Amino acid sequence: MNIQSIPYNNQLKKVELLDIIFNTISLEEIPVPYFKDYSHHKSVTARNYKSYDTMGFRDTLLKHLSKNFESTVLKLIIITPKGEKSHYDVFAYLSDKRIIGLYLEDKENFKLWMDIIFKDQYQKLEEYRNNGQFERQPELNHNPQFMLTLGKGQFSQKWVNSGMLIDEKPYKNTGAYLYKNAPKQYNEAKIAKEKQNYIKKYINTTHNSNINKALLKKLFDEFIRVKKIKPNPSKNNEQVYEEFETLSGYAFPEELKLLLSLHNGIENTGFLTAEQILDEWNNWKEIYDSLDWMLIDLTGNTHPDGRKTIGIYTNPYWIPFLSTGSGNFIAIDYAPGSKGTSGQVIAFGADEIKIRFIANNLEDFFRKLIDGKDVLNNGF
């Protein structure tokens, strides 16, 4: 099949709608609309509930087009027919950084799915026409189009050329619009570089030589005695430490190695085993590395604690060693703020809007626990 495409590069910004060649392909493999399967649900009411499986349609359509183009379709922009046209204008973003323009005919099973998906938009448009909305607001377009954006984990609908303040205008400077709305996978290297440029000025993993092991052991024993708790017997964790160092590129904290030589988790305290530390570190690293979390997302709603810490949701230089519940953790900080110190103890997590400074080091942390200070749960 001879498919015309547009490369994703800076020249794309100059492309106009008339420059794009739209391809026509068959959608015979698209199934008739079907309902979600709720037969496994415990509730009788839920089992009898009828809801069209629009997400299943999305996945089928993406898979079908990927097969046709011999390249994974990362994202689809589908725009409803304009005026008397009988086709949808579609832009497909491929994993090899090509963009394909498509005409998909407004017929057969594809039309049935589109009618289901855009039902609410069409009803709202008819409501506006009947209640005089367009007469009251003549700046609005009484015959707008609608847009469906599909991708892995993505299913969103918007109005097109509606005249509203928040409006999509894909037909004006089309190339620039396509460039701006490209999937994040197209800018994977740029997104990673932004994060690295932000974090690298804070990274400091060199504090390990300053650990007072004898004092830390003494404070841990005192903590166990005062709190009347019994740690699980320790075990050999060298394999975990090696795996951590391979994944992170820096040494596992010496103070945590010492701590884990004294326990293998402590029931009802939140202290993690070595395996749990590695798992949680990995979980948070996946968030940091994810294309769904750009730098602005990581830093937009999280604040520093003065200049002791940095205001970022997570990063690979925090090593959580104690869970305070509900996705919140106490961690060793290897990326402190300008007034902080490497190896300090901080709180971060799902509910920690401010990255809280807890203690200068693990020794001070245990002193505070021994003294009964509430350093674990006062941040949320």
Side-chain angles (χ1 to χ4, degrees):
M1 182 182 294
N2 185 22
I3 297 290
Q4 299 292 320
S5 62
I6 313 165
Y8 175 79
N9 53 36
N10 283 327
Q11 293 301 113
L12 174 61
K13 300 175 185 178
K14 300 178 181 179
V15 171
E16 298 295 338
L17 181 64
L18 294 177
D19 300 325
I20 299 174
I21 297 175
F22 285 82
N23 306 268
T24 301
I25 66 171
S26 169
L27 290 179
E28 292 179 358
E29 295 181 20
I30 300 302
V32 172
Y34 56 91
F35 295 117
K36 291 181 182 178
D37 181 13
Y38 291 107
S39 60
H40 62 282
H41 207 284
K42 295 181 180 179
S43 167
V44 175
T45 302
R47 289 200 298 270
N48 293 327
Y49 181 70
K50 299 296 183 183
S51 172
Y52 285 104
D53 191 357
T54 54
M55 300 305 173
F57 160 74
R58 174 200 63 193
D59 296 341
T60 299
L61 180 60
L62 291 171
K63 184 177 180 180
H64 173 70
L65 293 177
S66 297
K67 180 180 178 182
N68 273 269
F69 302 146
E70 298 181 346
S71 181
T72 302
V73 177
L74 300 175
K75 182 176 181 179
L76 278 181
I77 294 177
I78 302 172
I79 306 171
T80 58
K82 182 178 182 180
E84 299 301 318
K85 290 183 179 180
S86 60
H87 60 257
Y88 290 77
D89 291 339
V90 178
F91 298 100
Y93 292 88
L94 307 189
S95 58
D96 57 12
K97 292 194 175 183
R98 289 182 296 138
I99 302 172
I100 293 177
L102 293 170
Y103 285 150
L104 296 184
E105 297 298 319
D106 187 26
K107 63 181 183 181
E108 299 175 343
N109 294 342
F110 182 74
K111 172 180 171 54
L112 295 177
W113 279 108
M114 291 296 101
D115 288 345
I116 291 168
I117 290 169
F118 287 113
K119 179 181 177 181
D120 290 345
Q121 280 73 20
Y122 286 127
Q123 287 181 344
K124 177 62 70 174
L125 179 59
E126 193 62 28
E127 179 183 322
Y128 281 176
R129 287 170 176 164
N130 292 334
N131 68 15
Q133 187 73 33
F134 293 115
E135 285 73 21
R136 292 192 298 273
Q137 292 183 271
E139 71 276 12
L140 298 182
N141 179 6
H142 71 281
N143 191 30
Q145 295 164 267
F146 304 106
M147 175 188 294
L148 175 66
T149 302
L150 302 178
K152 183 179 179 180
Q154 184 174 16
F155 193 108
S156 63
Q157 295 155 274
K158 297 179 181 178
W159 290 53
V160 172
N161 298 327
S162 65
M164 299 178 182
L165 289 177
I166 301 176
D167 200 4
E168 297 295 315
K169 298 179 180 179
Y171 296 120
K172 182 179 180 181
N173 301 322
T174 302
Y177 182 88
L178 294 175
Y179 187 93
K180 178 182 177 183
N181 289 279
K184 291 179 180 178
Q185 289 91 331
Y186 278 18
N187 294 298
E188 183 173 1
K190 180 181 177 182
I191 292 171
K193 187 176 181 180
E194 273 188 343
K195 294 175 186 176
Q196 185 59 23
N197 286 342
Y198 172 87
I199 198 70
K200 67 181 181 182
K201 58 181 174 287
Y202 300 108
I203 299 169
N204 181 356
T205 61
T206 62
H207 85 292
N208 273 337
S209 60
N210 300 322
I211 305 302
N212 187 333
K213 294 183 178 181
L215 176 59
L216 180 55
K217 182 180 185 306
K218 178 181 178 182
L219 289 168
F220 178 77
D221 291 341
E222 179 71 3
F223 167 70
I224 294 299
R225 186 187 65 78
V226 169
K227 300 301 181 182
K228 299 179 180 179
I229 53 181
K230 184 177 181 181
N232 296 325
S234 62
K235 56 181 284 190
N236 188 314
N237 294 306
E238 286 304 318
Q239 186 174 344
V240 176
Y241 303 152
E242 289 177 8
E243 184 176 352
F244 174 88
E245 290 172 16
T246 298
L247 293 172
S248 69
Y250 61 89
F252 193 86
E254 286 296 324
E255 62 266 58
L256 291 188
K257 286 185 179 181
L258 174 61
L259 197 61
L260 290 164
S261 73
L262 304 173
H263 79 82
N264 183 44
I266 309 174
E267 301 298 333
N268 303 316
T269 65
F271 278 94
L272 305 177
T273 66
E275 289 88 351
Q276 290 170 333
I277 289 174
L278 180 60
D279 286 344
E280 293 299 344
W281 178 85
N282 258 320
N283 291 339
W284 287 101
K285 185 177 185 297
E286 285 180 8
I287 293 173
Y288 177 84
D289 290 339
S290 171
L291 294 176
D292 293 328
W293 288 81
M294 300 178 71
L295 180 61
I296 191 172
D297 302 316
L298 291 168
T299 59
N301 296 307
T302 307
H303 306 286
D305 193 346
R307 293 164 68 184
K308 287 277 194 179
T309 66
I310 59 175
I312 190 169
Y313 185 57
T314 186
N315 71 80
Y317 298 93
W318 295 341
I319 304 94
F321 65 89
L322 188 153
S323 169
T324 56
S326 302
N328 302 288
F329 296 89
I330 304 298
I332 299 294
D333 180 7
Y334 278 176
S338 60
K339 296 295 184 181
T341 56
S342 178
Q344 66 187 12
V345 178
I346 63 167
F348 81 101
D351 301 307
E352 297 281 2
I353 296 174
K354 180 170 72 173
I355 304 305
R356 291 187 292 128
F357 170 79
I358 302 295
N360 288 317
N361 49 45
L362 205 56
E363 295 98 306
D364 285 346
F365 175 69
F366 276 110
R367 288 190 184 99
K368 291 183 178 183
L369 291 182
I370 293 167
D371 291 343
K373 293 181 179 178
D374 184 12
V375 296
L376 301 184
N377 301 309
N378 62 354
F380 47 91

